[in-house]
Every structure is written in structure tokens, then in C-alpha cells.
């Protein structure tokens, strides 16, 4: 899958754009505030139905306009899927996939498997486990077609259980939720750990290139200590504590991936640039997995490609992206020799005050 065409209307400072992208490398060059991140945000919106910068449509719609419109063509082998999305400040949304109205924005996710890397991405390692669960679930979602159903069901169940926790006086009253919860939790945990075990091989190999001087351990935690007791026992034994807290403290909603160096969390040991490289290694491993095992093309959106990376690391990164077979969108302020980092054919776009123009080959 690749994004072959994008039409934008009234999205941030981009009033109107009609762009045909390269199937591999797309380099977007522009000064501060020219609209580079807005372009990535528009692509992200088409991939996930939301922004990575704001929950408020009113911030994203161009000032003095009522709505933004995005139209794209997604190419898979020789088949083109047209997708159109319009969002208004008043909350109205129109999504069309292949000419038919689609009610759910979640339907978008299967078309563009996006990996976003921004200067804030190191929160994947330094932030809460929620970020690492989202990272892991992204891969499981594309790898295992049954995962989404289990995940959506358990989210609903937990919501109901947490509401019931606040009212139940005895554990017996809760058991109606827990039988299904335990079955689903074990399924999700098996799906996640099966994916993680395979991904780990790729993570180790990318980390070896990016951070060869560190011995890094990576461990999946399913959300409860399986070796100690079953989830059913945890739910039973934690009843009093959980009802005081008003939420369930054991289960797949507490899963995490623990990355450590000499027993310390990586965020406490590595520099900012090294953390960024770590995140690149993790996301590239997922891109490689998607390409080589799931036979789907990953799309990388990388904002501010060269920040905090020396020339050598930029070269390693460029090589890995090329090897992953992904479609790439990177933004840079200074073009320098960035296009020469990539050996395959690439397209360069210049961004100025929200206007995009493609640089023609000499
Ligand atoms: N709703 C909006 N309508 C019009 N312009 C907007 C809107 N939201 C943001 N902008 C403007 O869009 C411009 C582009 O911002 P963007 O973050 O895309 O730039 P950038 O090229 O990524 O900059 P940098 O290199 O500094 O990160 C900014 O000047 C911003 O003030």
C-alpha cells in the first residue's frame, strides 16, 4: 500500500494542494512555519481519522473556513482505492471509501499502515506504558486479523467492569464480567506475545546497528504475573483495592514492554539523540515486519528527519528505511545533501507559505 495522490483543501496553512507522491522516498523541504508538519498531519489524518497535534477540528480547519477536505488515492499493486474525508468545525464528518459512505473513521486504519516519528517520539520510551501498548498493538492489529475484535470487546468489558466496581459490595457480583474478561485477556496476551517474540528478532538486529555499544534487554509484560497466579485469582484477590481505586489493576490494559540497560530503564541511561535512535530502531523493526512477514507496505512519516542525528546515523537510518521497502515522507528545513542519502529514486517537494511544489529533476 502506498499513498500515490493527495488533494488538500483548507487544512492548516495549506489552502489547496494536489500532489502525486513517489512510491518510495518523498522529501519535503521548507523553512520554519512553511507547512511541512501540516502536510504530514493531513496524511496522518487520512490514515487514522485523527490528528497527532490536536483533538479539535476547529484548530485544524484553515482560519476563516468552515471545513477541511482531504482526498487520496491508495495504490496496492495495480488497484487504486480512492478515499475522501471532510470534517467541519461544527462536528460533521463525511468519509467515503471507494465511492461509498463509511460510517466509522476506524475503517481507515486498514488502508494506510502509518508509523509517525516526530521530535516527541522518545516519549515511547520515557512516557507511560500506554505508549508502548499502542506501539505493540499497532503491529498486532496488522498481523493478526482477530486482534481488533478481541481488543474492542475487552475495552467495552473493562469499562463496564470498572463502573460496576464502584457499586458492587462483594466480589461475587462482579463475576459476571470476569469469566469473559479472563478468556479475552488470555487471548489478547497470547496474540501480543506471539507478535512480540517475532518482532524481537528484528528489534535486536536494528538496535545492533543503531546502538551497538549497549546491551539492551526487551521484555513483554502481559499485565499480570502469569507465573505467580492466574488472572482470575488476581481479579478476585484485588477486589477490595480495585473497588477503592475504581478501576481494574491487573489485565491486558496494564501490559508493557520493558526496555532496560544493565537493569535500568533505557530512558534513564541514553541521551536524547540515542533515545531517538532507539525509537527509530523500534519503528523500523515494525515496518520491516509488516513488509517481510505481513506483506504490507508501511508508510513512515518522519518530521524533522535530521534533528539530533549525526551524518553517520542519518546514513544508517536511510539504509534501513530503504531495506524496509516502506514509503517514506520526511521533512527537513535545510535540503543539504539529504536526497543523496537515499540511493533509490526520490521526489523532493518545496513548501512555502502552505504552497507545495515538486522539484523537477535536472
Ligand atoms: N488552522 C490554521 N489555519 C491557518 N494556518 C494555521 C492553522 N494552524 C496552524 N497554522 C499555521 O500553519 C503554519 C505551518 O505550521 P507547520 O507546523 O506545518 O510548519 P512547519 O513547516 O512544520 O514548521 P517547523 O519547521 O517550524 O516545524 C504555521 O505558521 C501555523 O501558524
Amino acid at each position: 500500500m502506498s499513498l500515490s495522490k493527495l488533494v488538500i483543501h483548507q487544512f492548516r496553512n495549506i489552502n489547496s494542494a494536489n500532489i502525486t507522491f513517489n512510491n518510495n522516498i518523498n522529501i519535503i523541504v521548507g523553512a520554519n512555519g512553511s507547512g511541512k508538519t501540516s502536510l504530514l498531519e493531513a496524511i496522518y489524518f487520512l490514515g487514522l481519522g485523527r490528528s497527532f497535534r490536536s483533538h479539535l477540528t476547529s484548530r485544524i480547519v484553515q482560519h476563516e473556513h468552515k471545513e477541511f477536505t482531504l482526498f487520496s488515492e491508495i495504490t496496492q499493486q495495480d488497484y487504486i482505492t480512492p478515499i475522501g474525508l471532510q470534517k467541519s468545525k461544527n462536528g460533521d464528518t463525511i468519509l467515503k471509501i471507494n465511492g461509498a459512505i463509511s460510517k466509522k473513521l476506524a475503517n481507515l486504519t486498514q488502508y494506510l499502515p502509518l508509523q509517525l516519528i516526530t521530535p516527541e517520539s522518545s516519549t515511547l520510551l520515557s512516557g507511560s506504558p500506554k505508549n508502548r501498548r499502542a506501539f505493540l498493538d499497532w503491529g498486532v492489529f496488522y498481523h493478526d486479523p482477530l486482534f481488533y475484535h478481541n481488543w474492542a470487546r475487552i475495552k467495552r468489558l473493562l469499562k463496564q467492569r470498572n463502573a460496576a466496581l464502584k457499586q458492587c459490595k462483594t466480589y461475587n457480583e462482579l463475576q459476571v464480567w470476569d469469566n469473559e474478561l479472563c478468556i479475552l485477556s488470555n487471548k489478547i496476551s497470547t496474540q501480543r506475545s506471539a507478535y512480540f517474540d517475532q518482532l524481537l528478532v528484528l528489534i535486536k538486529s536494528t538496535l545492533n546497528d543503531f546502538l551497538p555499544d549497549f546491551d539492551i534487554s526487551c521484555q513483554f509484560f502481559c499485565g499480570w504475573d502469569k507465573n505467580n497466579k492466574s488472572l482470575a485469582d488476581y481479579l478476585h484477590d484485588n477486589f477490595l483495592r480495585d473497588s477503592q481505586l475504581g478501576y481494574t489493576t491487573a489485565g491486558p490494559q496494564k501490559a508493557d514492554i520493558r526496555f532496560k540497560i544493565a537493569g535500568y530503564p533505557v530512558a534513564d541511561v541514553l541521551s536524547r539523540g540515542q533515545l531517538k535512535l532507539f525509537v527509530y530502531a523500534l519503528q523500523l523493526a515494525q515496518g520491516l515486519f509488516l513488509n517481510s512477514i505481513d506483506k504490507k507496505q508501511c508508510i513512515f512519516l518522519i518530521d524533522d528527519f535530521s534533528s539530533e542525528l549525526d551524518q553517520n546515523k542519518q546514513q544508517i537510518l536511510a539504509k534501513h528505511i530503504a531495506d524496509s521497502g516502506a514509503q517514506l515522507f520526511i521533512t527537513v528545513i535545510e535540503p543539504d545533501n539529504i536526497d543523496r542519502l537515499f540511493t533509490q529514486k526520490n521526489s523532493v517537494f518545496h513548501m512555502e507559505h502552505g504552497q507545495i511544489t515538486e522539484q523537477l529533476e535536472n
Side-chain angles (χ1 to χ4, degrees), residues 13-221:
N13 72 335
I14 306 173
N15 181 263
S16 177
N18 186 337
I19 322 155
T20 301
F21 289 119
N22 186 304
N23 188 32
N24 294 115
I25 314 289
N26 297 278
I27 301 165
I28 298 126
V29 185
N32 289 124
S34 56
K36 305 179 297 296
T37 310
S38 303
L39 177 64
L40 297 191
E41 191 183 14
I43 299 172
Y44 188 91
F45 220 111
L46 274 168
L48 283 103
R50 60 186 158 83
S51 161
F52 58 87
R53 296 208 282 188
S54 175
H55 298 301
L56 302 172
T57 309
S58 58
R59 301 281 192 278
I60 300 164
V61 172
Q62 190 162 60
H63 300 150
E64 283 146 43
H65 290 274
K66 289 194 178 116
E67 76 245 329
F68 71 76
T69 311
L70 303 171
F71 172 79
S72 66
E73 285 180 1
I74 317 288
T75 304
Q76 188 175 18
Q77 276 137 15
D78 288 334
Y79 190 77
I80 292 176
T81 306
I83 296 180
L85 174 66
Q86 186 173 77
K87 262 185 107 57
S88 313
K89 280 181 176 169
N90 68 10
D92 292 346
T93 301
I94 304 172
L95 172 63
K96 270 192 183 177
I97 300 176
N98 244 333
I101 294 275
S102 179
K103 289 261 180 262
K104 280 205 225 152
L105 283 174
N107 291 339
L108 283 169
T109 43
Q110 58 186 295
Y111 294 97
L112 286 180
L114 293 178
Q115 288 276 351
L116 170 75
I117 304 178
T118 70
E120 290 78 43
S121 288
S122 53
T123 55
L124 175 61
L125 298 163
S126 59
S128 82
K130 191 176 166 199
N131 300 338
R132 291 178 292 281
R133 278 196 299 279
F135 162 79
L136 184 64
D137 288 350
W138 181 93
V140 193
F141 171 81
Y142 289 109
H143 182 59
D144 187 334
L146 299 176
F147 179 71
Y148 179 73
H149 170 79
N150 292 338
W151 180 86
R153 175 75 192 127
I154 210 162
K155 248 180 104 174
R156 269 201 308 278
L157 262 181
L158 276 167
K159 225 172 158 184
Q160 292 164 338
R161 186 185 196 267
N162 289 344
L165 259 176
K166 292 171 193 146
Q167 278 147 32
C168 291
K169 299 273 178 289
T170 64
Y171 177 70
N172 285 351
E173 295 171 63
L174 264 190
Q175 240 171 347
V176 55
W177 314 110
D178 287 2
N179 294 337
E180 190 185 353
L181 193 72
C182 288
I183 294 170
L184 275 174
S185 299
N186 284 313
K187 277 188 187 166
I188 286 179
S189 164
T190 307
Q191 288 170 314
R192 280 174 171 165
S193 90
Y195 171 76
F196 182 73
D197 286 348
Q198 286 190 74
L199 179 69
L200 194 55
V201 179
L202 298 171
I203 291 179
K204 292 226 154 146
S205 124
T206 46
L207 278 176
N208 201 30
D209 280 353
F210 280 71
L211 296 163
D213 302 333
F214 295 94
D215 186 12
I216 300 165
S217 76
C218 314
Q219 226 180 2
F220 169 63
F221 169 65

